[in-house]
Amino acid sequence: MTGRTAPAVLPPSLRAWLGLIAALATLMVVVLGVLYAGHSRPGTVDVWIQSAVDGVRPPWRNVALALDFSGEPAGAATLVVATVSGCLLLRRPRAAVLVVVGVGMTVGAATLLKHLVGRTIHGGYLSYPSGHTAFLTALALVVALLATGRLGLGRTAGTLLVLAAALVAGAAMGWAQVALGAHYPTDALGGWCTALAVTPATAWLVDRMADRLVDQKADAGRRERR
């Protein structure tokens, strides 16, 4: 008998599918990293996509700037605090932990990859993968996982919700980064895949650690009652 009462932040019905998606995303991050390691110019795909979004003007430029700000330290901190507060109000402490740890590990992984890959833009700025895209995608994934658990969605509906949230967040921030000239399109794709690779794995770890702590407390309580 265990003392587990808190709902899992990674619903059991989603673990297999998200595990597969995380593996594929990891592979994509590695492949893109190898292809563009040490590069300082856009690839063929980058040029084609950049030509479609280049020269964005108001009001869309203002939208892009607002999205970009949400990935800057002040904007990101505001979003994280608001999301953690929402998780705590909904009595989902594991989700609150995942917001901090999952998003932090995703951004940390993106930062490490930038130095390992060494792709640059605008004469020396490390660009692959996009940390802004990784951040917003990771945050969207955590919120979608929370919604899946709260609504009791099954495997199909839950997986679709999580992927839809990640796609919308990643596409929005990726567009903003490319439109503002801060990243190549493949940088945004790499950031998106980084979040898909890191966040589900972190959610699984949070559940494992939380379950272990609950079990340890339950065992200690039983020993005290003997």
Side-chain angles (χ1 to χ4, degrees):
M1 180 178 179
T2 69
R4 297 174 188 176
T5 56
V9 73
L10 180 62
S13 60
L14 271 61
R15 288 174 186 170
W17 278 111
L18 290 185
L20 176 60
I21 291 169
L24 294 174
T26 300
L27 179 61
M28 180 63 73
V29 170
V30 172
V31 169
L32 290 174
V34 171
L35 285 175
Y36 295 108
H39 287 209
S40 59
R41 294 181 181 180
T44 303
V45 175
D46 294 319
V47 171
W48 179 71
I49 297 177
Q50 284 176 325
S51 64
V53 299
D54 188 34
V56 63
R57 299 180 181 278
W60 291 110
R61 181 173 176 79
N62 297 331
V63 174
L65 289 171
L67 284 168
D68 179 71
F69 175 75
S70 70
E72 294 294 320
T78 300
L79 286 178
V80 167
V81 169
T83 307
V84 168
S85 299
C87 293
L88 294 178
L89 287 173
L90 293 172
R91 297 182 180 180
R92 290 295 188 271
R94 292 192 189 189
V97 171
L98 181 59
V99 172
V100 177
V101 179
V103 171
M105 290 188 68
T106 298
V107 174
T111 302
L112 177 61
L113 285 167
K114 283 184 178 181
H115 288 86
L116 291 176
V117 175
R119 190 186 196 188
T120 58
I121 192 172
H122 302 317
Y125 293 97
L126 295 173
S127 65
Y128 179 88
S130 166
H132 280 62
T133 306
F135 163 76
L136 196 62
T137 303
L139 191 63
L141 281 169
V142 175
V143 172
L145 287 172
L146 174 61
T148 297
R150 287 282 296 179
L151 297 174
L153 300 180
R155 180 177 62 185
T156 301
T159 301
L160 289 175
L161 175 61
V162 170
L163 291 180
L167 181 60
V168 170
M173 183 61 85
W175 164 80
Q177 295 305 297
V178 175
L180 295 172
H183 283 282
Y184 304 116
T186 44
D187 295 336
L189 177 58
W192 185 67
C193 289
T194 299
L196 286 174
V198 175
T199 308
T202 308
W204 180 81
L205 287 173
V206 168
D207 281 332
R208 290 276 293 181
M209 294 300 295
D211 288 341
R212 183 173 298 179
L213 288 173
V214 170
D215 287 345
Q216 289 175 350
K217 290 181 179 180
D219 290 340
R222 284 194 292 269
R223 286 194 296 268
E224 290 177 356
R225 289 192 295 270
R226 288 176 184 174

